[in-house]
Structure formats: structure tokens, C-alpha cells
Amino acid sequence: MSVENLKTYLERAIEDGHARLAGEGKKERIHYIATNHSERWSDPEEKIRAEFWAELIYKYEYDPRRIKFEVRVPRRTPNDVADLVIYKDEECKEPYFVFEAKRSDISDAEFAQSIEQACGNRASLGSPFCGAIAGLTRRLLRFDKFPPGERERNHLTDIPKRYGNPPQWRFYKNKSGQDLSAVSRDKLRSAIRKCHQTLWEGGRRSPIAAFGEFCKIVFVKHRDEKNDDRQDADPYDFQRRDGESSDELAKRIFKLYATEQEREPGVFTDPINVEPPVLAQVVEHLEGISLDRTELDTKGVAFEEFMGGFFKGDFGQYFTPRELIAFSIEVLNPERKQLVLDPACGSGGFLLYALDHIRREANRRYPNHKTDSRQGISHYKHWHDFAERNLFGIEINEELARVAKMNMIIHDDGHTNIVGHDALDFLTKLTAIKPELVPGKFDLILTNPPFGSVVKGTEKGDGYLDQFDLRRYLNKSTTGTEPDESAQGERDAKRGANAVKARTSIKTEILFIERVWSYLKPGEGRAAIVLPDGILTNSSLQGVRNWMLSHFQILAVVSLPQFAFAYYDAGVKASIVFLRRLQDGEILPNDTPIFMALAENIGYDATGRKTFNVTVESEIPEKEKVERQSCDLFDYRVYFEWSKVNPKEPGWSERHREIIPDTGLVAQWREFQRDPTPFFV
């Protein structure tokens, strides 16, 4: 790609002398040379208008002398002006296209108002076309063949190039200047937020239901881009056609979704449940973005940031803080041929970080994959085969399973191995749903199972609890519904399975310990599991610990601070426990070493505020910066670029982060593996 193509339209306009910036700080202004007009550059709407004005010049080939700013509108409020007007004549007497330019982060209601404002201005000025622009979202309408009140059938796909005929479609595959493009993290994050706001419909849907519908729509968008049957210069299907009503667009999107459902019936089982006008708005937000071309780091950070806020509160129990996930992955160090499972996968965090770990390995192994086609194929195969064949997740909440599938789709790929089902159900049922979920097969299991809820045999049916050997190692207090039997209960627990009556209700986290054991390979399989400290310390749970010690080697226990899950409204004190499943009949010596550590600074506090110790490694002011961010768990190296997306608060925007190998507790764990002796001096 040439340097010319890397420049924005506005940068080209400034370089070619159509505009210039003068002044500094709040006094900085942009001057539009051809029309002798200037505006305050700190105004957020001016950034949008300026970039769009430059796009009209370079993409749509309009003479800058025929594009007027702040055009006074007759017969309307005395101070009412149109943001931009393209004229057909050199004297600028015959309006052709009227535009309203708004901030990229405005609400749907505000955007609808801007449309009406554009339509009113258009009517007063006598222009055949009008539109509203808000960042990547734009809506264009034509009135050369339609009455002034029409808002549906007169949809215009794109701006005509140099007064020509309006195109039938806006985006075409591999067609110069009309293809989909990659976007920055900030623009993608803004688009995701807009989509969720549109689908939420002011509270008509729950946030998680809105996100579920978003996942289905993103699935269609992703598959449309990936459609190998589409020839070069053919239009994409995920966009609104010229003159197409929202009902017609919805019908086409529903058909695309149904086709993909037939190809992969296990991915999304229910239909898209969104009204056509709402669906049309979501398409409007997404149609110009290429999910396929946008960098994986960009997509990963944007979706993760959005979901971090989304899962706070009512859905906090489904979200594991990313620092804890990253640490667990570093300790277990997945390999590309290993099978990885999360039986309580939530939004898919552990699986995605395992995939990222293998992708970084591919980057090291094939450093020239972006320029060497042979390396490129090997690089892609290295991590994509792992994503497609080696990553598995089970999630009882169907809506969350859908989120995990979408997350995998965005990261290319592995979504077909996400199962929406109860991981504690009969193993034969799980295998029937997904034949690959074979007990004793998995090399690694990483999971943060739900805490505190109680599984009752009377609610689950005959035999459900009977499948768990651990039920015989519990005294009454572990159910959470019956009183402790005090000293007698503790003595029974210590005596083991035969002395304790089988329970009729058991806490989920206890059952998950055994389910993890069931799926791990005997002798080799390792796990990282987040457990409440009560399992490790309560005297009434000695029976559970006895069972664990007879079935696992405890490799490490890393104690987390009380607030580790507080930001997500889950204040249970917990630890990450690393385990290896013992071979049948294997007995460990009593003095087998266990790595035990206390992590105090885990990178964030109870409010979610970052607490890393930061060292700036390099910086080019207002361009790029590299930081080293340290906590007890490990150190990150974080790459930033300067962002002006929010003109009121320009600043550093994270582009990419990576864990620095062998730092923090990860480094101590590696030392312990080599020689545990010094740790016990």
C-alpha cells in the first residue's frame, strides 16, 4: 500500500492546499480555502465535517468551490443553517445535496433529529438530496422522485460521484475506492456501542438480550465478508440497497442468517428477533466496517473493553477479569496440539487468551508471515487449526454461549466447539451433543465456575447428583441449606467417603472440581480453576480436600485479594488453583512441593481502576508510546497510538499489549518448576 493511500482524505486536502490549520490549543482553527470559511478546530462536530468534506472532494470528486459551509436556510428559524451544501453550478445558486454533520457518539434519537433537520433544510433550499453523517453512520435520502414526507422507500445507498447516477450499492468486493475497510479500535468500539444502544431500544430488551441479538447480526456480517462465492466487484449483501425499504432489507438479512443456520445448525438456533427499522439502523452502523480486514488486536481490545463494561453489574458473575485469565494461560503455557476446555466458558475469555497465546507462538515461528506467502500459509494454519479443532467451551446460559460463539467468530474462529448446555449434566448427554467432549481426553482445562449456587437433586432429576463421587465426601454444611453438625460433622469429613451420608444438594463449585477431573487426561491433564477460599480452608470441607488430594496433584495455589471480583459485583475471596490429574493408582509422596503465592497488586483495584506500576519505555509525543506495566502477576508491554477521536480529550489509545515472558509470579513459578528447593529455605 502506498503512502498516498495511507493518508486520510483530510490530510490530503491540507497537503493540497484546500484547507489549513492555524493556531494552537483552544484557539486552533481550520480554514477552508476555496470558500474562505473557518471554524474552531476543537469542536468535535467540526472534525467529522472536515473529514467528510475532504471525502466529498477526493472520493466523490466534487469541486471544493461548490461546497459551502453554514448555509443560511430560508423560511426556517432565522439562525438555522445547513452544515454542508453541494451546489450544481459555479455561482452556487442551485443546491444539489444538503448534509448535517454530527458527533460520532450521538444517540439514535439525536441522529433521527439530525435526519429531520437535514430534510427540513433540503425542502427549504430546494435540493433533491440530503443526508446526515455521524462518524461511520450515515443516512442519505432522495426526493427527486419522492414526496417530502417519505423516509423509507427513498433510501439512497451512496452519494453520486460528480453529479452522476446514484449507485445501486455502496460497497463492492475488491473494487477500488468502494470496498470495505479496516477501522481503528475507537471507531469499532463506537460502532459496537451504537449497535447495542439501538438493539437495547431504551430498555425494551435487557442488555444481555440486546447483546444476544447483536451477536446474531455480527455472525451474518462476518459470514457475508467471508463468502467465497462472491466474485471481485460484486456487491456485499450486508448493506442497504438503493431504494430498499427496511422491511425488504430485513427480509434479505433474515434469509442470509437462515442460510448460515442451515450450514452450521449448532451455532445459533433461534431466529433474529429484531424489528426491520431497528435492524436497518444496526446495518447502518456496521455496513462500512470490514471485520475481516480489521486487525485481530484491534477487534480483540474493542470487544473486550465493551464486554468488560457490559458484564459489570447484573452479569458480573459471568466475567473473569482478563489479568487473571492471562496469568493462568501463562502458567499452563498451552501448546498448539493440546486440547483445551472451559466447562463454564461465559463469554469465552479463557479460550480466546489460549488462542492468542498460540498466535503469538506463530508470530515467533514465522516472523515474515506478512511478506512471505509460504510463511503466511504456515502461520495461518499454525493458529487457525488450533482455533478450529482444539478449543472447546461449555456454557449453561444460552445467551452467553452465543456471546462466546460471536467472540470466537470475531477472532477467527472455533465457534462451532462452543456448546450451550449444562456442563454438570450426564457425561453421555454432553458427548451426544458434541462427540468430541470425551471424558479423559483434554490436556488443559481453564475455568472460573459459578460460585455459591446450590444444585438440588430434586430439581435436576434422578441420578443427576449420583454421578458425582464427591457427594459422598461432604457433610451437611456444604449444601448451604442445612446447619453444620459441628465437631461430629468435621470428624465425619476427615474420615472420608464411607462415613458421610450422600447429600441431596451440593454447591456448584464443588461439583465442577469433579467435572474438571473427569475431562482431564489421566496423568497428564492440567487445570487452572478459580475456587472460593472456603474450599481450601473451611474445616467442614476437609472431605472435599481429601478427595482432591487423592485425585489431583496440587501444583500451585495463588491467593487473590478480597476485591479480585468486587468490580463485577462478586466479592467472594478466591484463589487460582493449578492441578494435575493423577494417573489411576498414582500416589504422591507427602512432601511433594506445592507453589503457593499471594498476589496483592493484580493490576486493578475494587473499583476497576488500573493499578499497574508504569514505566515509559519509549515515546514520540502525540504519535506513539510504549509502556511497561507491572503487577504481582506479570509485566505487560503496551503499545499506544495518539487518538483524536474525542476532540475534547485527545490522548493515547491502546493498540496492542503483550505479556513480557518470565516476569512477576510467572517467573517465580518457572523457577519453582526448575528447582523448588530454595522456596522452602
Side-chain angles (χ1 to χ4, degrees):
M1 184 178 288
S2 68
V3 174
E4 176 80 5
N5 289 335
L6 289 172
K7 293 175 183 174
T8 67
Y9 291 119
L10 183 57
E11 286 171 341
R12 291 172 64 184
I14 291 172
E15 189 175 273
D16 291 345
H18 296 307
R20 63 183 174 87
L21 292 170
E24 293 183 0
K26 292 183 178 180
K27 293 184 178 181
E28 188 176 19
R29 297 183 71 84
I30 183 168
H31 296 267
Y32 301 98
I33 308 303
T35 53
N36 192 29
H37 184 82
S38 75
E39 288 288 343
R40 196 165 42 88
W41 189 232
S42 58
D43 183 350
E45 287 186 359
E46 197 57 42
K47 310 275 188 181
I48 301 295
R49 180 164 68 169
E51 187 62 47
F52 179 65
W53 163 80
E55 187 178 349
L56 292 175
I57 297 170
Y58 290 97
K59 182 174 181 179
Y60 298 105
E61 301 177 8
Y62 287 101
D63 188 333
R65 292 170 296 182
R66 295 188 183 186
I67 306 173
K68 294 288 187 180
F69 294 80
E70 303 291 312
V71 176
R72 188 175 177 280
V73 179
R75 298 191 304 277
R76 288 176 68 80
T77 307
N79 294 326
D80 200 5
V81 293
D83 284 345
L84 277 176
V85 177
I86 301 176
Y87 289 88
K88 290 199 74 170
D89 60 321
E90 290 184 6
E91 292 78 22
C92 296
K93 301 292 185 184
E94 187 179 352
Y96 175 70
F97 221 125
V98 176
F99 298 100
E100 284 299 310
K102 301 296 180 184
R103 302 185 326 273
S104 59
D105 60 348
I106 64 171
S107 68
D108 289 338
E110 289 172 315
F111 189 68
Q113 287 176 354
S114 71
I115 288 290
E116 292 307 314
Q117 186 177 0
C119 289
N121 290 342
R122 178 216 66 81
S124 295
L125 290 168
S127 165
F129 304 111
C130 72
I133 311 298
L136 290 172
T137 303
R138 57 180 63 178
R139 191 176 305 165
L140 310 170
L141 300 173
R142 65 186 304 173
F143 293 91
D144 53 342
K145 302 176 182 178
F146 296 93
E150 182 61 53
R151 299 290 184 271
E152 260 288 300
R153 295 177 297 116
N154 60 336
H155 172 79
L156 193 66
T157 295
D158 202 2
I159 300 163
K161 185 176 285 189
R162 202 168 31 186
Y163 310 106
N165 293 322
Q168 280 199 319
W169 303 91
R170 183 178 171 197
F171 300 107
Y172 297 82
K173 181 179 178 180
N174 292 335
K175 192 171 182 180
S176 179
Q178 293 179 275
D179 202 353
L180 301 174
S181 59
V183 294
S184 68
R185 183 195 66 161
D186 294 315
K187 286 184 177 179
L188 180 58
R189 184 173 52 186
S190 174
I192 295 169
R193 192 180 294 116
K194 282 183 179 181
C195 289
H196 190 260
Q197 180 195 62
T198 300
L199 290 164
W200 183 54
E201 293 190 67
R204 281 188 58 195
R205 288 185 182 85
S206 71
I208 200 165
F211 200 79
E213 295 303 324
F214 173 66
C215 293
K216 299 176 196 172
I217 297 168
V218 166
F219 177 62
V220 177
K221 164 72 172 164
H222 180 268
R223 286 309 175 84
D224 183 51
E225 289 187 45
K226 290 281 194 179
N227 184 359
D228 292 331
D229 295 332
R230 179 174 291 107
Q231 301 294 316
D232 286 351
D234 284 350
Y236 293 97
D237 289 317
F238 192 92
Q239 59 176 319
R240 193 167 179 177
R241 187 176 183 171
D242 183 53
E244 189 172 47
S245 69
S246 57
D247 285 334
E248 292 167 336
L249 170 65
K251 188 175 180 180
R252 189 154 48 79
I253 298 295
F254 293 156
K255 186 177 179 182
L256 289 171
Y257 179 68
T259 300
E260 295 302 332
Q261 277 185 300
E262 287 178 15
R263 289 180 182 173
E264 294 190 48
V267 178
F268 294 105
T269 55
D270 51 343
I272 295 174
N273 184 27
V274 179
E275 292 297 314
V278 176
L279 180 59
Q281 281 185 282
V282 177
V283 171
E284 210 167 61
H285 298 323
L286 291 175
E287 64 181 2
I289 294 171
S290 173
L291 294 175
D292 189 39
R293 291 188 174 120
T294 298
E295 289 185 359
L296 282 166
D297 279 336
T298 299
K299 290 187 289 190
V301 171
F303 275 89
E304 189 171 298
E305 281 185 353
F306 176 78
M307 286 195 295
F310 169 70
F311 281 108
K312 184 186 181 302
D314 293 344
F315 310 104
Q317 67 269 34
Y318 300 115
F319 193 84
T320 305
R322 290 338 195 190
E323 288 77 10
L324 306 185
I325 292 177
F327 174 71
S328 301
I329 293 291
E330 286 298 303
V331 169
L332 289 186
N333 196 23
E335 298 174 8
R336 66 182 291 265
K337 292 187 178 180
Q338 291 179 327
L339 291 176
V340 179
L341 170 68
D342 182 350
C345 71
S347 61
F350 278 112
L351 303 178
L352 289 172
Y353 271 67
L355 172 56
D356 189 55
H357 186 83
I358 299 302
R359 191 180 283 115
R360 292 201 310 270
E361 180 187 278
N363 291 342
R364 290 191 294 270
R365 184 171 293 191
Y366 306 104
N368 300 319
H369 66 276
K370 291 184 178 180
T371 55
D372 185 325
S373 60
R374 288 173 300 177
Q375 275 207 13
I377 294 170
S378 298
H379 177 274
Y380 179 79
K381 187 174 176 59
H382 184 96
W383 66 262
H384 193 264
D385 285 357
F386 176 78
E388 203 168 49
R389 303 171 189 172
N390 292 51
L391 290 173
F392 293 81
I394 307 172
E395 173 51 53
I396 190 171
N397 184 304
E398 278 287 351
E399 288 178 319
L400 275 168
R402 194 176 294 130
V403 172
K405 290 172 185 175
M406 183 278 300
N407 232 339
M408 298 301 289
I409 288 168
I410 289 299
H411 286 77
D412 289 339
D413 207 335
H415 63 279
T416 55
N417 295 330
I418 305 292
V419 176
H421 198 76
D422 176 11
L424 300 177
D425 203 350
F426 297 100
L427 289 166
T428 51
K429 279 192 179 180
L430 288 158
T431 307
I433 296 169
K434 192 72 181 174
E436 292 89 342
L437 292 175
V438 177
K441 181 181 178 181
F442 287 87
D443 300 281
L444 298 178
I445 293 179
L446 302 107
T447 193
N448 178 12
F451 295 172
S453 58
V454 175
V455 178
K456 297 181 179 179
T458 53
E459 295 176 355
K460 291 293 187 177
D462 293 342
Y464 186 93
L465 289 180
D466 294 340
Q467 62 177 316
F468 294 96
D469 181 47
L470 250 174
R471 79 194 188 285
R472 300 183 296 113
Y473 283 71
L474 305 172
N475 69 3
K476 289 187 177 180
S477 68
T478 60
T479 66
T481 60
E482 298 169 311
D484 191 0
E485 294 179 331
S486 190
Q488 180 59 43
E490 188 173 332
R491 285 196 298 272
D492 285 349
K494 288 180 178 178
R495 286 164 59 198
N498 296 327
V500 182
K501 184 180 178 182
R503 296 293 101 206
T504 57
S505 58
I506 306 173
K507 286 187 175 180
T508 50
E509 61 263 35
I510 294 173
L511 296 179
F512 265 98
I513 294 170
E514 183 168 339
R515 188 46 41 103
V516 166
W517 176 85
S518 298
Y519 274 121
L520 284 175
K521 277 184 181 176
E524 301 174 22
R526 294 173 297 140
I529 180 168
V530 180
L531 291 175
D533 279 4
I535 287 181
L536 306 177
T537 59
N538 286 358
S539 60
S540 59
L541 292 174
Q542 183 63 45
V544 176
R545 293 193 289 277
N546 289 345
W547 187 93
M548 290 177 69
L549 289 168
S550 66
H551 289 74
F552 290 111
Q553 176 187 356
I554 313 294
L555 301 173
V557 179
V558 178
S559 178
L560 303 173
Q562 180 74 44
F563 60 77
F565 298 94
Y567 180 61
Y568 301 97
D569 287 359
V572 178
K573 178 77 171 67
S575 296
I576 308 176
V577 183
F578 296 89
L579 308 163
R580 176 182 68 84
R581 176 174 169 173
L582 297 177
Q583 191 67 260
D584 293 344
E586 182 181 357
I587 299 175
L588 293 173
N590 287 334
D591 60 352
T592 301
I594 300 173
F595 180 82
M596 304 193 78
L598 172 64
E600 294 178 323
N601 180 357
I602 54 175
Y604 59 92
D605 62 16
T607 66
R609 183 181 63 88
K610 296 302 181 185
T611 59
F612 290 99
N613 296 314
V614 177
T615 304
V616 177
E617 294 188 335
S618 64
E619 179 177 350
I620 301 175
E622 296 194 13
K623 189 172 183 182
E624 59 187 42
K625 179 174 69 167
V626 180
E627 287 183 354
R628 185 179 183 120
Q629 299 183 356
S630 307
C631 69
D632 290 349
L633 301 173
F634 50 70
D635 293 0
Y636 275 128
R637 181 165 284 115
V638 189
Y639 300 83
F640 296 91
E641 59 191 2
W642 188 254
S643 171
K644 294 183 179 179
V645 171
N646 182 355
K648 291 184 178 180
E649 296 182 22
W652 294 112
S653 176
E654 181 182 324
R655 187 175 73 243
H656 170 65
R657 69 172 49 215
E658 60 192 23
I659 291 175
I660 302 174
D662 295 337
T663 53
L665 284 176
V666 176
Q668 293 190 44
W669 162 247
R670 299 272 186 264
E671 284 296 321
F672 179 86
Q673 285 181 299
R674 284 189 282 269
D675 181 12
T677 308
F679 289 82
F680 298 95
V681 172

